[in-house]
Amino acid sequence: MGYTPDTQVLFPQAMDLVDVRDVRVARTRPQTVPLPGEVVLGGGTWLFSEPQPGVHGLVDVTTAGWEPWTRTPDGLRVAATCTLAELAAIPAQPGWSAQSLFGTAVDALLGSWKIHRVATVGGNLCLALPAGPMIALAAALDGTALVWTPDGGERRVPVLDLVTGVRRTTLRAGEVLRAVDLPEHALTARVASRRASLSALGRSAAFVLARRDADGTFVLTVTASTDRPRQVRLPGVPTDVPTDVPTAADVVDAVDAIGDWYDDPHGDPRWRRATTLRFARELRDELAGGAA
């Protein structure tokens, strides 16, 4: 294979990718654009775990120098190269009650602390697996994906719309996920979550996150039990009176209307539906009370 200052020799962990000829080290924005036959490399925890037919090159964006996270006037920007460990280690920010979900989502990933130190937020999003906990977190907090286009431009898309199915996203050829922006109004909301799997350390079969905004809006995000993130958003009023929150029946009916429950070895769709509906009721009741 060729070798230039912008390529690096393959290391043993990549030896199973028998068709890969080189790894390009991206230091500038133009270098992050994947060419035909190339894929973007973040942590590589999934990429190196199985054969990748048709992949001839990797573009390592971890060398681009992106800050893992940045506090912005509108909330929080999380770089696509931010590792799960870095996300969980963000210092507590005053008023951001929803920050408690960061550690919850990181712990939901099936992997050890070694994986958390390497796996990236962007990689988990772009992989688009139903059980992806970063998908759940970003969608639940109204996250917006900042996508770099190959012509030097950019576009923004809600994370809820970025993932369209199992291993499917709206990313186009040559595009790169740069960051995810989480808005202040979601970060300051009251939150709660529930998660279930078939074993104590198993892959998530249902991961449901709830949010109650300052204006009383109740937002329930369903992942893992569906093939893509689904969300129920019901209006409310900014009080702490239980009767001013949507009724449990309203929430359960709205969630049950989703209909397309995921079916794989990690959970029967009927069990996933029943578990998700139970979680929806519990989360509604939890957030119907007074201050957290």
Side-chain angles (χ1 to χ4, degrees):
M1 74 179 197
Y3 183 83
T4 72
D6 291 329
T7 63
Q8 63 186 28
V9 177
L10 294 177
F11 292 99
Q13 67 180 144
M15 292 302 288
D16 288 340
L17 304 184
V18 294
D19 294 329
V20 172
R21 294 187 290 268
D22 56 35
V23 179
R24 289 198 294 113
V25 177
R27 303 191 189 281
T28 64
R29 173 167 177 174
Q31 292 175 340
T32 65
V33 179
L35 303 175
E38 293 182 331
V39 296
V40 173
L41 168 65
T45 53
W46 173 82
L47 188 63
F48 293 143
S49 70
E50 61 183 55
Q52 306 295 335
V55 175
H56 304 296
L58 307 177
V59 183
D60 187 353
V61 296
T62 63
T63 56
W66 301 339
E67 287 294 325
W69 62 275
T70 307
R71 176 129 192 195
T72 69
D74 300 320
L76 177 69
R77 169 163 292 184
V78 181
T81 51
C82 176
T83 66
L84 271 62
E86 289 172 330
L87 178 70
I90 295 177
Q93 305 295 307
W96 284 8
S97 51
Q99 195 175 350
S100 62
L101 292 179
F102 291 9
T104 300
V106 169
D107 288 341
L109 182 75
L110 182 60
S112 70
W113 61 268
K114 297 178 182 178
I115 298 296
H116 293 172
R117 292 179 60 182
V118 179
T120 61
V121 172
N124 193 257
L125 284 170
C126 294
L127 184 55
L129 292 177
M134 296 299 103
I135 299 171
L137 175 68
L141 297 182
D142 288 350
T144 299
L146 172 61
V147 179
W148 278 357
T149 57
D151 60 1
E154 62 184 38
R155 65 186 182 96
R156 289 172 169 80
V157 56
V159 171
L160 192 65
D161 300 326
L162 179 72
V163 178
T164 59
V166 182
R167 301 286 305 281
R168 299 200 309 271
T169 71
T170 58
L171 290 173
R172 304 160 188 159
E175 290 187 333
V176 176
L177 177 62
R178 169 62 180 85
V180 174
D181 291 320
L182 304 178
E184 185 86 14
H185 79 269
L187 290 166
T188 57
R190 293 178 54 206
V191 295
S193 66
R194 296 289 190 278
R195 175 180 171 272
S197 63
L198 289 179
S199 62
L201 299 177
R203 177 178 293 182
S204 298
F207 191 22
V208 186
L209 300 90
R211 196 183 86 224
R212 189 180 178 196
D213 292 346
D215 65 359
T217 300
F218 183 83
V219 183
L220 195 80
T221 303
V222 176
T223 63
S225 55
T226 51
D227 66 347
R228 60 187 174 90
R230 296 302 191 98
Q231 196 168 83
V232 169
R233 190 179 295 257
L234 299 173
V237 292
T239 72
D240 287 323
V241 180
T243 55
D244 291 324
V245 181
T247 67
D250 289 337
V251 174
V252 170
D253 288 346
V255 172
D256 201 20
I258 291 173
D260 55 345
W261 305 103
Y262 191 49
D263 185 10
D264 75 350
H266 298 282
D268 182 273
R270 293 167 297 179
W271 173 71
R272 281 180 149 134
R273 170 184 174 272
T275 301
T276 302
L277 295 181
R278 174 167 59 86
F279 286 170
R281 181 182 292 274
E282 291 176 358
L283 290 169
R284 180 269 172 197
D285 292 346
E286 182 172 338
L287 293 186

